[in-house]
Amino acid sequence: MESQRVDGLERFYVENYSLYREFSERMQNLVQNLIERDDIEIYKIESKIKTPEELLKGSSGRVSSPSYDSISDFVIVRVLLRFPEDVGKVEQIVSEEFKVDMKRSIPASTLDDPFRFGYPAAYYTLSLSGKRHELREWIKYQGLHFQLDIRTMLQEVWAAVLPKVNVNVDSGTKKKMERKLVRIASLLEEADEGFLSLYETSKSAFPVPVAEENIFVREAPEPVIEAPRVYSIEELYDWFAARPELLDNWSSAALNAGFPAYSPSADYIRESFENLYTLFKVADIDTLQEVDSFMQSLDAGDAGVNQLKDIYEAFEKNVGIWRVDAYSALFLLLLNIKWDTLKEKDLISLGIKKASDRISGLID
């Protein structure tokens, strides 16, 4: 019976390994993008696939006929966060973006028991939500589960060190060791909360300027009046509407560069245009004359076409799920060409990263 169980698991492993490896990479990228979209800092994120031996050891003899549903931790994505308050934020994201199997999860809210042992972390058994797994680029992962571990760095210390402590000793020594472990766990938890308190205090405190002695009195500088943005989203739309050949040309250019054919809906095109408008503003292209100048620069010596080819070659491995319409092609070119200006700005809060992830198929 044991031999049959091993054979079944090894066969399952061989037949599905490549799918799970791909699933592991996609889930790590998806989780990272969802967390960073909400401006939560990740210290570290990693993913792994268990070996058949690890699965068999963890199954305790219960896996006689492996299936997608019976193996929830074949893929494990581990996220390390700096502060405990971020764990709750990530838990909220997880509940909104994935289907959670609560029977096989330990949410953070269940770890408040004052009598629990140690400093354990939350984990969740997840699968793609109905909204996402019905999309063409995600449908092949339907039915696959993965385990998401969410830990602070100090919870990771506890998880890494505790297995090295051997409490297989006489009863008297064991009680002393367990008592000490309880105290260490309390110190780690207190340290997590203490660092968070210090961090929040540092954010709210403002530096007090120190007056200099014997300095010349300087006149207050003239106030800088920023020129108003001189075109609205409606005016930019009219600008493109008056030049319909531009969109046809850049749609064809994206195909010729190698990006997959994509037939966008009217809603997708509208959102692509809105994202392009936002990027123009963030890139400090403030007038329609500057828009026109940028578009002309793309035609000079086929600069834009060559840039699209460079972008395709840089992301060729994953470009099969990209959704590039004409506005998205211009978005990618503007992002690439104006990167020196854009890299100094908060692209997450401005929505630029989200727009980029949308084109690359990482979010809906």
Side-chain angles (χ1 to χ4, degrees):
M1 183 65 178
E2 181 72 16
S3 176
Q4 291 177 353
R5 186 160 57 85
V6 173
D7 291 343
L9 191 56
E10 289 180 342
R11 184 167 58 253
F12 180 84
Y13 179 83
V14 171
E15 292 174 352
N16 296 279
Y17 177 76
S18 61
L19 176 65
Y20 269 105
R21 182 176 60 183
E22 181 182 310
F23 180 59
S24 170
E25 294 174 356
R26 295 292 301 277
M27 290 306 98
Q28 177 179 329
N29 291 335
L30 177 59
V31 169
Q32 181 172 356
N33 278 279
L34 291 172
I35 293 175
E36 291 180 342
R37 183 186 65 184
D38 282 20
D39 203 23
I40 300 172
E41 183 179 0
I42 296 175
Y43 176 73
K44 183 180 180 182
I45 184 169
E46 59 186 1
S47 60
K48 64 167 289 187
I49 303 176
K50 282 193 172 182
T51 65
E53 292 75 16
E54 289 173 320
L55 286 173
L56 193 57
K57 181 179 179 181
S59 69
S60 300
R62 292 190 297 273
V63 181
S64 58
S65 180
S67 67
Y68 290 161
D69 291 332
S70 67
I71 301 177
S72 61
D73 59 351
F74 195 97
V75 169
I76 298 176
V77 177
R78 179 168 296 124
V79 178
L80 296 186
L81 304 169
R82 294 188 184 277
F83 302 114
E85 71 162 2
D86 292 334
V87 174
K89 295 177 182 178
V90 174
E91 185 173 68
Q92 180 65 30
I93 294 171
V94 166
S95 64
E96 293 173 355
E97 298 289 346
F98 295 94
K99 183 178 179 181
V100 184
D101 185 344
M102 294 305 299
K103 293 181 179 179
R104 295 188 283 184
S105 302
I106 301 294
S109 58
T110 65
L111 300 176
D112 293 333
D113 183 357
F115 301 106
R116 63 167 165 75
F117 173 75
Y119 194 23
Y123 69 86
Y124 307 85
T125 297
L126 306 176
S127 57
L128 293 173
S129 64
K131 180 181 178 182
R132 180 170 279 110
H133 79 61
E134 291 172 359
L135 297 175
R136 182 175 60 182
E137 60 268 29
W138 294 102
I139 197 168
K140 65 179 176 179
Y141 308 119
Q142 185 173 357
L144 273 65
H145 294 75
F146 72 102
Q147 180 176 305
L148 175 64
D149 294 348
I150 305 174
R151 302 175 177 178
T152 65
M153 291 186 286
L154 292 181
Q155 284 174 326
E156 176 71 359
V157 170
W158 174 266
V161 175
L162 183 61
K164 304 294 184 181
V165 179
N166 182 10
V167 294
N168 187 22
V169 292
D170 63 86
S171 59
T173 305
K174 181 177 181 180
K175 287 182 179 180
K176 292 179 181 178
M177 291 178 66
E178 289 178 343
R179 176 59 183 159
K180 191 162 188 175
L181 284 171
V182 168
R183 297 203 307 271
I184 292 172
S186 298
L187 289 172
L188 289 174
E189 187 170 2
E190 190 69 26
D192 249 344
E193 294 175 357
F195 281 127
L196 174 60
S197 177
L198 290 170
Y199 173 68
E200 290 177 339
T201 300
S202 68
K203 286 197 303 181
S204 61
F206 292 92
V208 179
V210 179
E212 298 179 23
E213 297 181 358
N214 300 322
I215 60 173
F216 294 103
V217 177
R218 299 180 177 88
E219 294 183 0
E222 292 289 332
V224 177
I225 302 176
E226 185 177 348
R229 305 294 190 185
V230 296
Y231 66 92
S232 65
I233 191 169
E234 291 81 9
E235 290 170 324
L236 183 64
Y237 181 84
D238 291 339
W239 189 91
F240 276 105
R243 301 163 176 80
E245 72 284 353
L246 281 179
L247 299 181
D248 292 338
N249 291 343
W250 287 111
S251 180
S252 298
L255 284 173
N256 292 335
F259 292 98
Y262 177 63
S263 299
S265 64
D267 288 341
Y268 189 90
I269 293 175
R270 184 183 67 253
E271 187 172 351
S272 294
F273 170 73
E274 291 171 352
N275 290 337
L276 178 61
Y277 171 78
T278 300
L279 186 57
F280 270 129
K281 296 296 186 177
V282 175
D284 298 330
I285 296 180
D286 299 333
T287 68
L288 289 177
Q289 289 81 0
E290 290 173 343
V291 172
D292 187 74
S293 176
F294 172 75
M295 298 300 295
Q296 289 186 34
S297 72
L298 298 180
D299 292 331
D302 290 330
V305 173
N306 292 330
Q307 286 270 0
L308 276 180
K309 291 178 180 178
D310 290 341
I311 295 171
Y312 172 82
E313 291 175 0
F315 296 95
E316 186 174 2
K317 181 179 178 182
N318 299 313
V319 84
I321 63 170
W322 285 36
R323 299 171 291 181
V324 183
D325 61 312
Y327 290 123
S328 297
L330 293 172
F331 181 99
L332 293 172
L333 287 169
L334 182 57
L335 186 66
N336 199 43
I337 293 171
K338 293 291 185 177
W339 182 246
D340 286 343
T341 298
L342 295 168
K343 68 182 180 181
E344 304 298 331
K345 303 189 178 184
D346 187 351
L347 300 184
I348 295 177
S349 64
L350 292 169
I352 303 304
K353 186 176 187 304
K354 180 180 179 182
S356 176
D357 289 344
R358 172 179 171 271
I359 294 172
S360 57
L362 295 177
I363 61 174
D364 299 337

